[in-house]
Amino acid sequence: MSGSWDEYAAGWDSNEAVIAYADNAYFALKNTVEIEGCRIFDFGCGTGLLTERLSSAASSVVALDPSQKMISVLENKRLENVAVIASELDQNLIDDNSLLSPKFDLVVASSALAFVPDYAKALKLLKQLLTKGGCLVQWDWLKEEGDEGYGFTEKQIKAALMDAGFAECSTSVPFALRSDGSALDVLMGVARNA
């Protein structure tokens, strides 16, 4: 998938819908968990629109995306407390990349987990990166049972988080974006590493 995301990198930060998504996700995050002084992992960071917002409050942010062109846009922002990784997340990366230790207080995944080939496996990998009591927050498009396309139902997120070993799993719809005259709901999943 990274090849296709490379095609979007140059214009991503000027897309009003993408900017609105990042702004709304950040606002929802601040109203859900304490981010001040946290060590944060931004999974599927893209060009770093959310990363930028996080960096002002976090002690440090490690941002990962498989698209080298998206990561290049983020690197050009020269955010002091942000380190980047252009890669897929897998067990070897977790075991071998020094940027992934110590563990993180918070893992965020903004419109990213619906695009991974194995959602359940991705959650288990992300859980390994969290401190005990650390929090995972994801945002993806809300789907109803039987809907096609990218996104999740509330039931899918809650079940997958619980199956991955998370605790205090909850979902909400903190915002919606308008597209072609209709509102697209964004589903937020929140869970703790027990």
Side-chain angles (χ1 to χ4, degrees):
M1 186 99 191
S2 62
S4 63
W5 287 109
D6 281 349
E7 297 169 18
Y8 296 105
W12 198 251
D13 282 7
S14 59
N15 182 320
E16 288 183 25
V18 173
I19 294 166
Y21 197 109
D23 286 341
N24 282 291
Y26 182 68
F27 182 74
L29 180 67
K30 283 181 36 177
N31 287 326
T32 304
V33 297
E34 178 58 49
I35 62 173
E36 195 69 38
C38 284
R39 178 168 154 76
I40 301 174
F41 182 70
D42 188 353
F43 175 79
C45 65
T47 60
L49 286 170
L50 181 59
T51 309
E52 284 181 85
R53 288 147 180 82
L54 296 169
S55 69
S56 64
S59 64
S60 65
V61 180
V62 175
L64 175 136
D65 199 277
S67 166
Q68 180 57 58
K69 288 188 178 178
M70 290 275 193
I71 287 292
S72 293
V73 172
L74 175 52
E75 286 178 313
N76 288 333
K77 295 175 181 179
R78 302 193 190 322
L79 301 170
E80 284 185 28
N81 62 338
V82 175
V84 299
I85 302 171
S87 177
E88 299 278 346
L89 182 65
D90 61 26
Q91 193 61 54
N92 288 335
L93 186 72
I94 290 172
D95 293 342
D96 299 336
N97 193 305
S98 62
L99 291 174
L100 299 180
S101 66
K103 294 188 178 197
F104 298 88
D105 306 302
L106 175 64
V107 169
V108 296
S110 179
S111 193
L113 287 167
F115 297 95
V116 299
D118 188 336
Y119 176 48
K121 182 179 179 182
L123 287 176
K124 289 176 183 170
L125 291 169
L126 291 171
K127 186 177 183 296
Q128 291 180 53
L129 296 174
L130 281 168
T131 60
K132 186 171 175 63
C135 192
L136 177 137
V137 180
Q138 79 172 87
W139 301 266
D140 283 290
W141 299 114
L142 174 64
K143 286 188 353 182
E144 298 301 325
E145 291 294 331
D147 284 355
E148 297 293 319
Y150 293 106
F152 297 104
T153 66
E154 291 188 59
K155 184 178 174 182
Q156 285 173 312
I157 287 182
K158 283 182 184 174
L161 290 169
M162 291 176 64
D163 287 348
F166 285 97
E168 300 176 36
C169 306
S170 65
T171 58
S172 64
V173 178
F175 63 96
L177 294 181
R178 297 205 66 72
S179 176
D180 298 327
S182 63
L184 299 171
D185 289 333
V186 175
L187 181 60
M188 182 172 75
V190 180
R192 292 222 174 263
N193 184 20

